[in-house]
Amino acid sequence: KIREQESDHGEDGSAPKAAAVRGGSPRGGVRWWLSVAADMFMVLCGQTVATLLGRLYYNSGGNSKWMATLTQSAGSPLLAILLLFTPAPAADEPRPAAAKMAPIYVGLGIIIGFDNLMYSYALQYLPVSTFSLVAATQLGFNSVTSRLINAQRFTVLIANSVVVLTFSAALLGIGASSDETASSVPRGKYPAGFALTLAASAVFALILSLFEATFEKVVRTRTLRWVLRAQLWTNVVASTVSAVGLLASGDWRTIPAEMAAFKDGRARYVATLVGTAVSWQVMAVGSLRLIVRVSSLFANVTGTLSLPLVPVFAVALFGDRMTGIKAVSMLMAVWGFLSYAYQQYIDGRRAAGAGKGRAAAECRVCAARAGSDPDSPA
């Protein structure tokens, strides 16, 4: 029993090895990769559909920024239903005090609410293809917040990705005057949309790093139940912020007229908002699961995978022009993503090699102890 306890703890014997298990299954195993792949699929589908539906809302006659903001967090009650079907917590599962978690939920929820508002303005002021490409800068911002908050290693590949993504966004800003679109984007709002997208991307990167720090230092467990709980309560607070803004701004008075004037009628108006709300929750849950399974950086990397998808769909659905500048920016963004992906691959190989080395060392120690045991059979 003593030997079993020693093998389950780190070298200092103070805490279980975090690298061995992450998200409920061995890191790097087949089940772990299948779970990660499922989470990545949720992020890709949720983010792509939510972005396109958000643009469709504005193109079809929607104009309320606060309503668009509310849809980004209003789907959170669905998470309460999922919580009912999650397994009961284990007897030894950490249970942080409510007094400790409540300020975290409130603080993160308020930040998420205002970040959603910036994204709502940005999505109205930019073509969806340009919006998605400028939003790629959140990967660069996240490398900084991960370094400062989560002690993420800053390698040459990550630095390369940050530089490439920064130039990708700057290229879009320089080519703003040549951007043409058939979408109903207000003329003259491009600079504001560009600045708001950059600001929202920086805040979103901060949110991801704060979530990772919360699970690492406060929650100290990575179960689906805690992922859903964190997502539920932060989004409830964000929805409250959006609802207060909707009432205080007077936008709620325009909703009946907006619904009546919406292209193809009220049913499509409701379906667009409901679809947007559900898609954002799918994306958020998948992203948060990637944060607790891998890291906030990996969750952000996965989000950039939707970059080639959104502009293509935007060209087909909204008439956005895929100009040469956008094409080059998209290729640079993909290059930045590949740098991150390759770094993840290298880290995984190193972790696997280190794990095998530790296992071999433990086996040699156990064999030496067994050989020195006077009661052991000859």
Side-chain angles (χ1 to χ4, degrees):
K1 289 183 179 178
I2 292 175
R3 290 171 183 169
E4 290 175 357
Q5 291 173 358
E6 288 175 347
S7 65
D8 289 338
H9 287 72
E11 293 180 359
D12 59 354
S14 60
K17 293 179 181 178
V21 176
R22 194 154 189 160
S25 58
R27 185 185 177 97
V30 175
R31 290 183 59 186
W32 184 84
W33 275 114
L34 288 176
S35 299
V36 169
D39 297 336
M40 292 176 67
F41 183 76
M42 291 172 63
V43 172
L44 291 174
C45 290
Q47 181 167 312
T48 301
V49 173
T51 303
L52 292 171
L53 288 177
R55 183 66 251 174
L56 179 64
Y57 168 76
Y58 290 125
N59 283 4
S60 300
N63 194 47
S64 174
K65 284 42 164 221
W66 282 108
M67 177 58 74
T69 302
L70 182 60
T71 57
Q72 296 181 50
S73 55
S76 54
L78 296 174
L79 303 179
I81 299 175
L82 293 178
L83 268 173
L84 298 177
F85 295 96
T86 56
D92 58 346
E93 180 179 299
R95 291 179 173 83
K100 182 183 294 185
M101 295 303 301
I104 295 176
Y105 290 151
V106 172
L108 283 173
I110 292 174
I111 297 174
I112 290 172
F114 283 101
D115 188 54
N116 290 344
L117 180 63
M118 286 191 288
Y119 270 125
S120 297
Y121 272 95
L123 192 56
Q124 187 184 30
Y125 292 165
L126 289 179
V128 68
S129 53
T130 304
F131 167 84
S132 63
L133 291 171
V134 178
T137 55
Q138 68 190 31
L139 194 57
F141 290 122
N142 196 205
S143 67
V144 177
T145 58
S146 294
R147 175 62 178 172
L148 297 177
I149 299 175
N150 311 122
Q152 176 74 33
R153 226 166 26 98
F154 203 86
T155 64
V156 174
L157 287 172
I158 293 178
N160 171 72
S161 183
V162 172
V163 172
V164 170
L165 287 168
T166 301
F167 275 107
S168 174
L171 185 61
L172 284 174
I174 294 172
S177 59
S178 63
D179 186 34
E180 298 179 7
T181 177
S183 303
S184 54
V185 176
R187 294 299 178 181
K189 296 291 187 179
Y190 197 106
F194 188 84
L196 284 169
T197 306
L198 284 178
S201 299
V203 174
F204 182 72
L206 175 63
I207 291 170
L208 293 182
S209 292
L210 290 176
F211 264 123
E212 182 176 356
T214 297
F215 275 88
E216 288 283 352
K217 300 177 181 179
V218 182
V219 178
R220 297 183 182 277
T221 185
R222 308 173 188 279
T223 61
L224 174 61
R225 187 178 187 85
W226 268 104
V227 169
L228 293 176
R229 186 178 295 173
Q231 181 65 22
L232 171 63
W233 289 115
T234 54
N235 273 251
V236 165
V237 175
S239 298
T240 303
V241 171
S242 302
V244 170
L246 182 66
L247 296 174
S249 65
D251 273 11
W252 63 275
R253 297 188 182 92
T254 66
I255 299 302
E258 181 177 283
M259 185 182 299
F262 199 76
K263 185 178 178 180
D264 293 337
R266 299 172 182 268
R268 186 174 180 180
Y269 180 86
V270 175
T272 300
L273 294 182
V274 171
T276 305
V278 173
S279 299
W280 278 124
Q281 290 305 308
V282 171
M283 177 268 181
V285 171
S287 181
L288 190 54
R289 280 168 61 86
L290 286 176
I291 290 173
V292 300
R293 288 180 186 277
V294 191
S295 69
S296 61
L297 270 179
F298 190 82
N300 221 332
V301 166
T302 303
T304 63
L305 273 173
S306 66
L307 290 175
L309 302 178
V310 175
V312 171
F313 282 109
V315 170
L317 297 177
F318 305 131
D320 287 5
R321 288 188 58 192
M322 183 54 69
T323 63
I325 289 178
K326 286 184 182 179
V328 173
S329 296
M330 184 172 67
L331 291 175
M332 293 178 71
V334 172
W335 178 10
F337 158 73
L338 292 177
S339 292
Y340 264 98
Y342 188 60
Q343 182 63 60
Q344 182 66 28
Y345 170 77
I346 292 175
D347 290 344
R349 291 290 299 270
R350 287 175 178 171
K356 291 179 181 179
R358 285 195 300 268
E362 289 174 359
C363 289
R364 288 194 295 269
V365 170
C366 292
R369 288 177 177 175
S372 61
D373 190 346
D375 296 329
S376 62

